[in-house]
Amino acid sequence: MSYSLLIDGRKVQGVGRIDVIDPSTGSVFDSAPRADEALALEAIAASSKAGKLWAALGYAGRRVYLHDFATAIESRTEEMAAVLNRERGGPLAECRREVAITVAALRHFADQSLASRVVRESDVERIIEQHYPQGVVAAIMPWNRPITLLSFKLGPALITGNTVIAKPAPTTPLSTLLIGEIAADVLPAGVFQTLADQNDLGALLTRHPSVAHVSFTGSTATGKKVLAGAADSLKRFTLELGGNDVAIILDDADLESVIPKIFQAAMINAGQVCYATKRVYAPRPMLDRVVELLADQAKGARLGNGLDPAHQIGPLQNRMQFEKVLTLIEVTRKEGTIVVGGDVVEGGGYFITPAIVRDLSDDAQLVREEQFGPILPVLGYDDLDSVVDRANASEYGLGGSIWTADVKRGIDIASRIESGTVWVNRHMSLPFDVAFGGAKESGMGLQNGVQGMEDFTQRRIVNVALD
Ligand code: NAD
C-alpha cells in the first residue's frame, strides 16, 4: 500500500522514503514517505490557519466531526490492526484492541466539553472562568503504542478546539499515516496533519513559535530536550515519559490468582509499555514461590509472530531496543540469577524469551533503570516500611501496583507510593475519564480526564464590575 503524509488536507508523497521493518522478521516490509523542514513549516502554517474555523465551530460542531472520525477509523479496524501487527509487532488481537481503544477514546472525548464557570457572583461583581484553545498542538509519539497514545492527545486536544500535527516515531509511521488518510476524508483541512520523519523534525516542532503546545510521549531523556526546546517561547507542554513501576505483593495475597496478572502486566507488548510492571517485590518468605510461579508463566508463554493467535508475546519493536535489552541481559547475568528466559529466538525477528531474574541488589541496572523489554526482576523484602522506601527510591514515578487480599491495607500502602497512579489488585487500567500523568522524572502535565482536556486550553478569567 502507498501511504501519504496529510498536510493542509492534501495527501502528500513527501521528500523521500523511510524503510519500515517488520520486527517479527527483521526485514523491510514497506516504506513511508517522509517530510522535511519545508513540509513541517507548511503544516504548522496550515494548522494555525485551520485553528480559527475549528475553534469557531464550538463543541457541538466539533463533536460531529470527531464522531465521524471515530466511525471512519472503526470501519478500517482490520486494515489498521494488520498494519500495527507488521510495524510494531505483537498479537493481532492486541492490535485490534489498540484500534478499539483509539476509537473509544475519540468517542469519549467527542462527547465532552469544558463549560465556563461563574467563580463568584454578587451585586457588585461577576467573575467567570473560561477555557479557550491554545492553538497548534504538536503530538510527538513513541513506537510502542502508536495510535492509542495518539488518541489520548487527539481526542482532548481536538474537542477543546485545538489543531494537531502528529509526528510518529520513525519506526512506526504507517498506522499514524493511515489515521491521517482517514482524517483527510472527514476532518476540515489542517485540523489534523501527519508528518513522518527520520528522527529529525521533533526539535523543530518543539521550538517553532507558532506551535502552542508540545504533547510529548517518549523517553525521559528526549522529554528533557523537549522541555528545553519549549522554554524559548514558553510553550505549554505535556510530557509522558518513562517509568519503573513496582508491583508489591503483600503477605496475604493469593499468589495463584495474582501472579498471572502480574506476569501479564510485565510482559504485555514484550514489556514495552510505559506502565508495565518493571520491578516485583515479594515478602522474603514468599520469594521462592513467587519466582517459581512467575518462571512457570514465562516457560508457558508462547512467543512469535502475532498473526498466529496462539502467540501471546511479540518481538521487541526495533533493532536498537532489541540490542539494548540484550546488553541489559548480559549485565544482569553478572549481577543476579536469570531463572528462566533471556534467550534470543533464532529466525530473524527481534524476539527474546521472557526472563525472570532474582538475587539482584537494589543497585543492579535492571532494578534502577527502565528495561522496556521482557525481563523482570523479583526482589524480597522484610517489612512494609522498607519496601515503600525502596519503591520510592527511583527518579521515576509513573505507576505501580499493590497486591493483597485486604483492600484497606492495599489502599494504605498505595497512598505511600510516590507516583501518578497506583493500582490495587489490578495494573494499567486507564479509563478515559480519569487523568493520568507521571510524578518526578516520569512526566509533567496530565492526559485524559477533565484535567487532560484543561491542559490543552488556556484558562481566562473574565472579571466584571457590576456596581
Ligand atoms: P524517544 O524519546 O526515543 O522518542 C519519542 C519521540 O521523540 C519520537 O517520535 C522521536 O522521533 C522524537 N524525538 C527525538 N528527538 C527529539 C527531540 N530532540 N525533540 C523532540 N522530539 C524528538 O522514545 P521511544 O524510544 O520512542 O519510546 C519509549 C519511551 O517512551 C519509554 O521510555 C517509555 O516509557 C516512554 N513512554 C511513556 C508513556 C507515558 O504515557 N508516560 C507512554 C509510552 C511510552
Side-chain angles (χ1 to χ4, degrees):
M1 167 160 180
S2 119
Y3 294 84
S4 330
L5 311 169
L6 178 65
I7 296 176
D8 202 9
R10 287 176 294 113
K11 294 181 187 172
V12 175
Q13 273 313 303
V15 294
R17 310 289 300 178
I18 325 167
D19 284 341
V20 186
I21 291 172
D22 180 342
S24 297
T25 63
S27 305
V28 174
F29 76 96
D30 211 331
S31 69
R34 84 180 160 76
D36 62 357
E37 206 173 303
L39 285 170
L41 294 176
E42 202 183 311
I44 293 170
S47 209
S48 299
K49 193 176 77 188
K52 287 199 178 54
L53 283 176
W54 184 244
L57 282 175
Y59 283 94
R62 295 192 292 266
R63 209 179 304 299
V64 177
Y65 280 108
L66 282 193
H67 274 295
D68 287 350
F69 192 20
T71 301
I73 294 171
E74 188 176 42
S75 71
R76 311 244 321 242
T77 296
E78 283 310 305
E79 186 185 352
M80 191 75 84
V83 169
L84 285 170
N85 165 265
R86 292 305 298 271
E87 72 172 0
R88 83 152 163 79
L92 199 51
E94 238 180 65
C95 298
R96 288 197 186 101
R97 205 157 39 243
E98 176 160 0
V99 183
I101 294 171
T102 301
V103 169
L106 289 175
R107 288 199 172 126
H108 169 83
F109 287 106
D111 289 333
Q112 307 305 308
S113 52
L114 292 177
S116 295
R117 184 173 78 91
V118 176
V119 180
R120 188 186 299 170
E121 186 155 36
S122 70
D123 294 344
V124 294
E125 65 176 358
R126 184 181 305 147
I127 300 179
I128 307 160
E129 181 186 81
Q130 304 171 336
H131 294 273
Y132 65 93
Q134 291 172 348
V136 179
V137 173
I140 303 182
M141 308 308 306
W143 39 258
N144 61 327
R145 279 281 186 262
I147 63 167
T148 303
L149 295 171
L150 177 62
S151 71
F152 294 167
K153 302 179 189 303
L154 212 42
L158 289 182
I159 194 62
T160 49
N162 304 279
T163 53
V164 176
I165 300 172
K167 194 208 84 57
T171 56
T172 52
L174 300 179
S175 48
T176 302
L177 296 183
L178 199 46
I179 298 255
E181 292 181 28
I182 294 169
D185 296 330
V186 286
L187 294 181
V191 168
F192 174 62
Q193 304 180 89
T194 55
L195 289 177
D197 71 343
Q198 43 189 12
N199 227 14
D200 56 344
L201 293 179
L204 184 155
L205 291 170
T206 301
R207 291 175 183 276
H208 196 284
S210 299
V211 172
H213 185 128
V214 181
S215 186
F216 173 84
T217 302
S219 64
T220 295
T222 312
K224 289 179 183 177
K225 291 185 195 161
V226 169
L227 187 56
D232 234 14
S233 50
L234 285 185
K235 275 184 210 331
R236 279 31 182 177
F237 56 85
T238 321
L239 302 176
E240 295 294 347
L241 310 176
N244 195 2
D245 288 13
V246 293
I248 301 177
I249 301 172
L250 303 194
D251 56 8
D252 58 6
D254 171 12
L255 294 184
E256 310 292 326
S257 92
V258 155
I259 293 294
K261 294 176 190 161
I262 292 179
F263 182 79
Q264 160 74 7
M267 297 300 168
I268 182 168
N269 206 23
Q272 303 163 107
V273 174
C274 51
Y275 278 106
T277 294
K278 293 177 180 143
R279 299 178 274 164
V280 175
Y281 291 88
R284 191 98 43 208
M286 292 162 74
L287 181 65
D288 288 348
R289 184 70 183 139
V290 167
V291 169
E292 185 185 358
L293 289 172
L294 282 169
D296 287 348
Q297 293 281 318
K299 285 177 207 155
R302 303 277 304 271
L303 238 74
N305 192 318
L307 289 175
D308 179 342
H311 292 151
Q312 303 152 284
I313 300 183
L316 279 295
Q317 197 280 321
N318 56 71
R319 174 159 286 283
M320 200 201 263
Q321 188 63 21
F322 178 65
E323 284 170 0
K324 195 174 143 198
V325 173
L326 287 179
T327 304
L328 180 59
I329 288 171
E330 285 323 305
V331 172
T332 302
R333 276 190 210 291
K334 296 187 193 110
E335 295 187 327
T337 309
I338 299 183
V339 179
V340 63
D343 301 313
V344 172
V345 178
E346 297 306 330
Y350 307 142
F351 293 97
I352 298 176
T353 57
I356 305 298
V357 185
R358 63 178 297 165
D359 306 329
L360 289 167
S361 79
D362 285 1
D363 295 332
Q365 191 179 348
L366 179 62
V367 179
R368 283 184 294 106
E369 294 182 9
E370 181 185 44
Q371 61 273 54
F372 227 59
I375 171 166
L376 182 66
V378 190
L379 302 117
Y381 71 85
D382 297 309
D383 62 83
L384 287 173
D385 286 341
S386 68
V387 77
V388 167
D389 287 346
R390 289 162 73 194
N392 289 337
S394 168
E395 68 265 32
Y396 293 113
L398 191 58
S401 55
I402 315 295
W403 300 85
T404 173
D406 180 343
V407 167
K408 185 181 170 312
R409 266 182 100 202
I411 295 173
D412 285 348
I413 301 299
S415 306
R416 296 170 61 189
I417 302 296
E418 296 165 355
S419 60
T421 303
V422 189
W423 292 278
V424 176
N425 292 333
R426 51 164 46 162
H427 196 108
M428 236 180 298
S429 149
L430 292 173
F432 307 133
D433 57 344
V434 177
F436 72 85
K440 301 191 262 185
E441 294 197 15
S442 286
M444 296 176 88
L446 293 165
Q447 291 204 161
N448 286 358
V450 172
Q451 298 89 339
M453 290 193 294
E454 285 179 352
D455 273 10
F456 283 116
T457 65
Q458 174 61 47
R459 190 177 267 101
R460 173 171 51 210
I461 301 297
V462 177
N463 188 327
V464 187
L466 297 176
D467 53 355

